Amino acid sequence: MRHKLLLACITLYGLFFLPAAGLTDVYVFRDKDGVLHFTNVPTHNGYRRVMRDGGQAPAAVSSSGDYDEVIRSASDRHSIDADLVRAVIKAESDFNSNARSRKGAMGLMQLMPDTARLHNVLNAFDPVDNIEGGVRHLRMLLERYRGDLRLSLAAYNAGSGAVEKHGGIPPFAETREYVRRVLRFYEAFRGGRS
């Protein structure tokens, strides 16, 4: 009996406290019925990574170059200038994928929980999920405001309800400064093109 108890304790210790060999990324897919499917071997592009090897969340990085491929892919898919996406990320989180605002916005593009749910973002701190959801949201706003970049950015910051209530950019200092900052960053990123 003592030997079995000792063996059980050693096994539990090993599971929880020693580094595990063979840990892998975990992916999730939500099917048409809303059922979540988890795997470590995704079989199609609908799967999104929700946990990195060893249970670590994706690390924060500090420059747009670390996300260029993800930004380019999402911006091409949704027909948005990649430099605009970079400008929004710079203004929102300064390229910190672990950023969280006091109001609850999360990740690189600072998605609010309702916005993340609207765009099926399962992990707002995962750069791929966050950028995909943020770009999809930006595309939706650009369509809603017929390509008016200033109104779309104001709605990204303050919400569409505030833009419609005020018949344009809301008179909030934060929102007005946000629009100016994104446009400045956008011009700076565009100026960096070769």
Side-chain angles (χ1 to χ4, degrees), residues 55-153:
Q56 298 297 316
V61 295
S62 58
S63 74
S64 67
D66 295 311
Y67 299 116
D68 275 346
E69 186 178 320
V70 176
I71 291 169
R72 190 176 353 270
S73 175
S75 62
D76 287 350
R77 198 167 30 264
H78 298 287
S79 302
I80 291 185
D81 188 345
D83 288 328
L84 176 59
V85 176
R86 287 182 189 92
V88 170
I89 293 172
K90 174 73 176 164
E92 289 287 351
S93 68
D94 199 21
F95 298 96
N96 177 358
S97 65
N98 294 320
R100 185 175 196 117
S101 76
R102 291 183 307 256
K103 295 178 182 176
M106 300 169 284
L108 289 167
M109 296 189 76
Q110 289 292 278
L111 302 178
M112 293 298 287
D114 286 344
T115 304
R117 273 191 295 279
L118 174 67
H119 297 292
N120 295 316
V121 174
L122 297 175
N123 180 358
F125 294 106
D126 177 67
V128 175
D129 270 2
N130 188 284
I131 291 171
E132 178 65 27
V135 171
R136 196 178 302 134
H137 190 62
L138 195 52
R139 165 51 53 208
M140 184 185 81
L141 294 172
L142 284 164
E143 288 172 4
R144 182 177 192 154
Y145 297 106
R146 299 181 182 161
D148 187 318
L149 183 55
R150 290 176 176 273
L151 287 181
S152 299
L153 292 172

Side-chain angles (χ1 to χ4, degrees), residues 4-67:
K4 287 182 181 179
L5 183 59
L6 180 60
L7 183 59
C9 288
I10 290 170
T11 303
L12 286 173
Y13 179 82
L15 286 173
F16 291 106
F17 298 107
L18 296 177
L23 288 178
T24 186
D25 294 352
V26 176
Y27 298 84
V28 67
F29 167 70
R30 184 189 315 259
D31 67 20
K32 62 183 168 86
D33 298 320
V35 176
L36 297 177
H37 301 269
F38 293 87
T39 185
N40 63 335
V41 183
T43 55
H44 55 77
N45 290 337
Y47 280 92
R48 301 275 187 215
R49 183 176 51 221
V50 292
M51 187 180 302
R52 287 222 172 154
D53 185 13
Q56 298 297 316
V61 295
S62 58
S63 74
S64 67
D66 295 311
Y67 299 116

